[in-house]
Amino acid sequence: FLKLAPSVLRSTAKNADCGLSPAGPPTVGPRSYSGPLPTTYNVQFPLGRPTSENLQAICDYSDLRPRYPSSYFPDSGYGVDKLRASAVNNAEAWLSTCCKDNQTWEREVTLCCATQAWELSVEKYCEEDLSIKHPWYHCCKINDNNNRLNCFSNDAPNPNYGPTQELPVEPLPSTAEFTFNPNTCQRTPGPVPIALIKGKTKKLSTPRAADISFPPGRPTADTIESVCHNQRLRPVYSIKCLPRSGYEMVALQAKTVNLIEKGFKSCCKNKKTKLNCADQKWREELNKFCLRENRGRVNYPCCLNQSDEYSCFQQMSPDPYYNVTSAHEEVSLNKICDTHKTIKKKFPVGFPLKDFVTQCCPLQEEEKTACSARLLEEMSQKLCASKRAVPSTVRRCCKLSSQETPQCISKIIMSAITKATNFSSQKKRKRCPIS
C-alpha cells in the first residue's frame, strides 16, 4: 500500500546519470498523505566564507564540488532544497569568475572578489527565503549583517572547499548577475591592520584585463618562416604602463615574450640554424619563466605540469602556428584611440580628433562604435557649418547630402588611421599588456 510519486522515480533515474543521488533511501508515506513526499535531497549548503586559507581550494577544486541541475529534483515540491541548490549554483559560478582572473590579479584582489560573490549569494538567498511562507533558515532571521554572515559561515558543511566529488562536474550558469566592485577592497600592509585604524587604507583601481599573446607557439619546420618573416607584425610589450601591484604575472609574461622575440630576431639571421636556434631560445625562456629565481615554480598551469610542460605551452598558445599574427589587422574607426598621436604628428586631417579620444576611447569596445558614429555625425555638422577655413577634402564632403557627408569625412579619418597603423607597425613600438 505504499507508492512513490512518478516525479520522484523520474528524478532518481536522471540523477544517476549526473552522479548525484538523494541522501539516503526515499522515505515513503501512505497514499492518504497529501503533502510533498519527505524524501531528503542532499544539498551541501551553505558555502563557507572565502578566506586566505581556503582561496586556493576554492579555485583548484571548483569542478570537484557538486552542482545541482534542475534534473536533480522532482518536478514538484522540495522548494527549500531547490532554493538552497540555486544559491550554491550561483555562488560557485561567481567564485569561478573570480578565479578565472586569478593569474592577472593579486591574491588579495581575488579574495576580495570571492568574498563579494559569497556575501551576495547569502544576501540573495535570504531575500528569497524570507519572501516565502515557510520555516525560514535560522541565519536569515538575524538582522545584523555581520552576525548573519558569520552564522552562514559557521554552518558550512565544507568550509575548506575541499573536493567532494570523485569525477569532475559540469559547471552551471548563474541565474543572477554578479559584478565585482574592486573599489570596496581594502589593502592592509601587514597582519596588524594599523592602516585601517589610521585611515590610511588604499582603494584598488578597477582591474584591467590582460591583453597579451602568451605563451608564444613553439617554432617548427612548418612555422619558422612565419616566425622570422612576420616579426614586425607581432607585438612586444612595455611594462612601464602596469600598476605597481596586482599585475606581477602579466609583467612576467610580457618580459618572457620580449626575450623570446629578441632571441627569434637573432636566430633568424642564420638560415641554416634558425629553427634549432629559435626552438632552443623558446624552451630556455619558458624554463626561466617557470623557475623564477629564489621563488620556486610559478603558479601557471604549464609550469605545474612538469612531465609535459612544452606540449602544454603549445596547447595554451593563442597563436600556436603563427597564423593570427601574420594576418593584417582590420582597421576600424575605433583604432583612432591607438593612432591619434601619430595622426596628429605625421598624417594630420585638418580638424581636431580630441572629442573622439576623450569621449569614446575610455568606453568598452562595443560602446566605442556607437560613440564614434554619434560624434562623426556631430563633427560633420559643425565642420560644414563653421565659417573657419577647412581643408579642401572637407569642403568637398560638405557639398554632398547630409546623409553622405559623415561617410565622406569618415573616409578621411580612416585613411589617416590606416597610414598611422602602417607607420606604427613598421616602427614596431611596444604596447601595454593590459587593456
Side-chain angles (χ1 to χ4, degrees):
F1 296 94
L2 301 177
K3 185 177 180 181
L4 282 176
S7 59
V8 174
L9 294 173
R10 287 198 304 272
S11 177
T12 304
K14 285 186 283 187
N15 291 336
D17 296 332
C18 299
L20 294 168
S21 61
T27 305
V28 294
R31 288 182 183 178
S32 59
Y33 180 70
S34 59
L37 291 171
T39 307
T40 301
Y41 280 79
N42 183 34
V43 177
Q44 289 188 19
F45 173 90
L47 299 184
R49 186 197 304 269
T51 66
S52 57
E53 287 75 26
N54 64 24
L55 182 62
Q56 194 68 42
I58 288 175
C59 294
D60 288 351
Y61 303 126
S62 175
D63 62 346
L64 292 175
R65 292 189 298 271
R67 305 294 191 278
Y68 305 97
S70 57
S71 60
Y72 180 57
F73 298 98
D75 294 334
S76 61
Y78 308 97
V80 173
D81 290 330
K82 289 178 180 178
L83 187 62
R84 293 178 180 180
S86 177
V88 171
N89 291 342
N90 283 338
E92 288 283 10
W94 298 340
L95 290 171
S96 295
T97 301
C98 296
C99 291
K100 284 179 182 177
D101 289 309
N102 191 29
Q103 292 180 358
T104 57
W105 289 351
E106 268 187 335
R107 183 179 176 83
E108 61 190 26
V109 180
T110 304
L111 177 57
C112 179
C113 178
T115 301
Q116 285 186 28
W118 177 76
E119 290 181 354
L120 180 64
S121 72
V122 171
E123 178 185 336
K124 293 288 186 186
Y125 172 80
C126 284
E127 281 180 5
E128 292 190 56
D129 187 58
L130 296 174
S131 68
I132 301 171
K133 290 184 178 180
H134 72 138
W136 295 332
Y137 187 59
H138 70 104
C139 292
C140 291
K141 298 178 184 179
I142 301 173
N143 291 324
D144 181 82
N145 189 52
N146 287 333
N147 291 337
R148 175 187 285 184
L149 294 174
N150 289 336
C151 179
F152 271 83
S153 187
N154 292 336
D155 279 4
N158 184 20
N160 297 323
Y161 284 84
T164 59
Q165 305 296 111
E166 292 183 3
L167 298 174
V169 300
E170 287 293 323
L172 294 177
S174 62
T175 57
E177 186 177 351
F178 164 67
T179 303
F180 172 42
N181 179 12
N183 292 322
T184 64
C185 301
Q186 292 182 321
R187 303 176 60 197
T188 57
V192 181
I194 298 174
L196 280 173
I197 299 170
K198 295 184 178 180
K200 293 183 179 178
T201 50
K202 180 180 177 182
K203 286 192 175 181
L204 294 167
S205 58
T206 303
R208 293 161 65 186
D211 183 17
I212 180 171
S213 183
F214 181 89
R218 184 172 188 172
T220 65
D222 294 327
T223 63
I224 190 62
E225 295 305 319
S226 294
V227 168
C228 292
H229 290 168
N230 299 313
Q231 262 206 296
R232 288 192 175 277
L233 297 176
R234 294 193 300 273
V236 288
Y237 302 96
S238 170
I239 62 171
K240 293 180 180 179
C241 63
L242 296 176
R244 290 184 179 180
S245 62
Y247 295 87
E248 288 80 2
M249 178 60 74
V250 177
L252 184 60
Q253 291 175 357
K255 289 178 182 178
T256 302
V257 170
N258 291 351
L259 289 170
I260 289 175
E261 287 290 349
K262 184 179 179 181
F264 285 171
K265 184 177 181 181
S266 176
C267 293
C268 290
K269 292 177 181 178
N270 190 323
K271 292 184 179 180
K272 293 183 180 180
T273 63
K274 60 185 179 182
L275 175 56
N276 289 336
C277 176
D279 183 57
Q280 182 180 349
K281 188 64 181 176
W282 181 85
R283 286 183 283 112
E284 281 179 1
E285 294 303 334
L286 289 175
N287 286 340
K288 292 177 185 176
F289 167 80
C290 285
L291 291 171
R292 294 169 68 183
E293 188 177 1
N294 299 327
R295 302 182 90 171
R297 295 193 75 80
V298 169
N299 185 23
Y300 186 82
C302 296
C303 298
L304 304 177
N305 182 18
Q306 298 181 47
S307 61
D308 201 9
E309 130 182 333
Y310 298 142
S311 295
C312 178
F313 277 118
Q314 179 70 356
Q315 291 172 3
M316 290 278 286
S317 175
D319 185 21
Y321 306 112
Y322 292 87
N323 292 328
V324 177
T325 49
S326 62
H328 288 289
E329 190 174 3
E330 183 181 349
V331 176
S332 68
L333 198 57
N334 294 347
K335 287 289 290 180
I336 201 170
C337 300
D338 301 322
T339 58
H340 65 96
K341 291 182 180 178
T342 305
I343 291 173
K344 186 176 181 181
K345 291 180 181 178
K346 298 287 184 180
F347 311 102
V349 292
F351 49 87
L353 301 174
K354 185 179 178 181
D355 286 349
F356 282 99
V357 178
T358 56
Q359 294 185 38
C360 300
C361 292
L363 302 176
Q364 295 293 330
E365 201 62 34
E366 59 271 14
E367 297 173 327
K368 286 180 184 178
T369 303
C371 177
S372 298
R374 176 179 57 80
L375 283 182
L376 189 63
E377 189 81 30
E378 293 175 3
M379 179 180 286
S380 302
Q381 294 176 3
K382 288 180 181 178
L383 286 173
C384 294
S386 175
K387 295 181 180 180
R388 295 180 181 180
V390 292
S392 57
T393 51
V394 176
R395 283 202 303 272
R396 284 196 290 270
C397 290
C398 292
K399 292 178 181 178
L400 301 174
S401 67
S402 58
Q403 294 178 340
E404 294 175 311
T405 299
Q407 296 176 8
C408 181
I409 292 178
S410 175
K411 288 181 181 179
I412 297 173
I413 299 174
M414 288 296 294
S415 176
I417 290 174
T418 302
K419 292 175 183 176
T421 301
N422 292 337
F423 177 81
S424 297
S425 65
Q426 290 172 6
K427 197 167 182 181
K428 194 174 183 181
R429 294 183 177 183
K430 290 185 176 182
R431 79 181 196 196
C432 189
I434 56 175
S435 59

